[in-house]
Amino acid sequence: MTDREAERLMVFTEKLAVNAGAILKKSFNRRHDIRYKGRIDPVTEADLKSEKFITDNILNNYPEHEILTEEGSAVGQKSPYRWVIDPLDGTVNYAHAFPVYCVSIALEYKGEIVLGAVYDPQLEELFRARKGAGAYLNRKKIHVSGERVLKRALLATGFAYDIGTARRNNLGLFARMAKKAEGIRRLGSAALDLCWLAAGRLDGFWELKLHPWDTAAAKLIVEEAGGKITRFNGEKYSIFEKEILASNGKLHPALKKVLRG
Ligand code: IPD
Ligand code: CA
Ligand code: CA
C-alpha cells in the first residue's frame, strides 16, 4: 500500500468514526431498546445503527474489502484488506447514560493493522494512528507517559461479561495489582482505556478475554504513541489473544511480574 493510499484511507476512517459517533451521541441519554446477548452483555439499537452506518459506507466505497464487526454484519469475502469494527465500545455505560463510550475502526492490510481511529463523541476526542506515522489526539501528536514506578502508576482494567461464572475472572489479579499501583480505574471501554494510555493519562492496562474489535484500532494507537502491548508473559500479542498487557513500556516488567504472580 502506498503512503498516499494509506492517508486517503485514514481520512475516510476518521470521518466514518466521527459520523458514527454523532449517531451514538444523538441517542445518548434517551430510552434504548436493549437486548441481552448473555446474562449481562447488552446490545442497544444504537450499536446496530452505528454498525450499519459504518459497514454500508465501507461497502459503498470498498465493496471488495473484508469486514469483521461485533454485531454480526460481517462480510466474509477474502481480501488483503480487512476492517475490524466495534460500533460502540462501552455499551453498558451507554445504556446507563454514563458518558464513557466510543467508536473503534481499524484496517488491516495483509494481516497487519495499518490504521486505526477511536472516537469519543462526548469529549469530541478523535484518537488515530497510521502505521509508521505516529499517533494523534485531534491535531496533537501524543506519547505515552514516562512513569517508571508502579506505586506512582494509574492503571485501568476491565472485566468480561462472564465474570459471574468464569474461574478466570480477573478479580484476583485486580486485588494483587490494587496493592501495588497508585490507583486502578474501570472505565468500561477497553478501546478508550488503551487510547488514554497512549495519551499519557494512564500508565498501564490489562484485561482478559477481549475481542479483536475492542483492541484493533487502539493497539496501533498505543504502539505509535511509544507504548508496548504483549500477552501477560511478554509474548507477542495478537488481537485474537485472550489476554492483553499494555503499558508505557517502562512499567512493563513490573506489571508482568504482578500478573504472573
Ligand atoms: C466491552 C468494553 C469493556 C470491557 C469488556 C468489553 P462492549 O465492550 O470494552 O470495557 O471490559 O470486556 O466487552 O461490549 O461495550 O463493546
Ligand atoms: Ca467492545
Ligand atoms: Ca461493542
Side-chain angles (χ1 to χ4, degrees):
M1 191 193 298
T2 63
D3 252 24
R4 245 180 97 187
E5 188 189 358
E7 192 46 42
R8 212 177 47 232
L9 282 158
M10 182 80 253
V11 173
F12 171 76
T13 309
E14 285 168 26
K15 278 194 193 142
L16 216 49
V18 169
N19 290 333
I23 293 175
L24 297 179
K25 197 171 177 185
K26 211 170 151 200
S27 306
F28 184 69
N29 224 348
R30 302 241 174 100
R31 267 182 61 123
H32 299 292
D33 299 332
I34 304 177
R35 186 168 60 73
Y36 286 87
K37 296 188 276 184
R39 192 179 65 89
I40 53 168
D41 185 358
V43 57
T44 71
E45 79 297 338
D47 296 69
L48 304 177
K49 222 170 157 184
S50 168
E51 180 162 308
K52 185 171 179 346
F53 171 80
I54 297 166
T55 50
D56 282 356
N57 262 278
I58 294 172
L59 287 171
N60 282 337
N61 287 276
Y62 304 102
E64 71 286 4
H65 288 188
E66 188 180 343
I67 306 177
L68 175 64
T69 61
E70 176 166 16
E71 307 306 341
S73 46
V75 177
Q77 60 200 1
K78 271 278 151 272
S79 157
Y81 297 88
R82 179 168 67 178
W83 297 87
V84 185
I85 298 157
D86 193 337
L88 198 185
D89 187 49
T91 299
V92 173
N93 287 346
Y94 186 85
H96 288 261
F98 186 89
V100 180
Y101 63 92
C102 65
V103 178
S104 172
I105 307 176
L107 177 64
E108 291 176 338
Y109 179 66
K110 295 186 176 168
E112 186 187 37
I113 302 162
V114 288
L115 58 89
V118 171
Y119 183 61
D120 171 348
Q122 293 298 133
L123 295 179
E124 296 181 359
E125 290 190 329
L126 175 67
F127 298 88
R128 69 177 163 98
R130 187 154 75 69
K131 183 94 192 155
Y136 289 81
L137 164 49
N138 295 337
R139 282 162 188 277
K140 214 174 135 234
K141 201 158 188 175
I142 49 174
H143 207 271
V144 291
S145 74
E147 187 55 64
R148 292 173 179 274
V149 182
L150 188 49
K151 71 174 183 206
R152 299 278 172 261
L154 185 58
L155 310 177
T157 190
F159 302 91
Y161 290 114
D162 65 3
I163 186 171
T165 51
R167 289 225 310 190
R168 229 183 156 210
N169 57 19
N170 199 22
L171 290 169
L173 297 178
F174 182 88
R176 273 216 305 270
M177 200 67 94
K179 292 180 184 165
K180 304 278 183 192
E182 183 174 26
I184 306 180
R185 302 291 177 256
R186 198 299 191 231
L187 296 171
S189 162
L192 281 182
D193 290 331
L194 286 164
C195 288
W196 287 20
L197 167 68
R201 297 171 184 170
L202 293 166
D203 306 301
F205 168 78
W206 84 94
E207 192 161 340
L208 293 166
K209 302 175 200 170
L210 287 173
H211 298 286
W213 41 80
D214 298 315
T215 60
K219 173 184 186 287
L220 182 64
I221 293 167
V222 168
E223 288 171 346
E224 287 293 322
K228 183 167 176 172
I229 302 196
T230 65
R231 298 177 55 189
F232 288 179
N233 61 8
E235 281 171 17
K236 190 172 156 49
Y237 171 76
S238 109
I239 57 171
F240 292 90
E241 217 68 67
K242 290 294 164 220
E243 54 183 45
I244 181 171
L245 168 60
S247 81
N248 62 3
K250 303 201 167 64
L251 282 165
H252 225 77
L255 294 170
K256 215 165 75 182
K257 201 167 152 208
V258 178
L259 292 177
R260 301 217 71 207

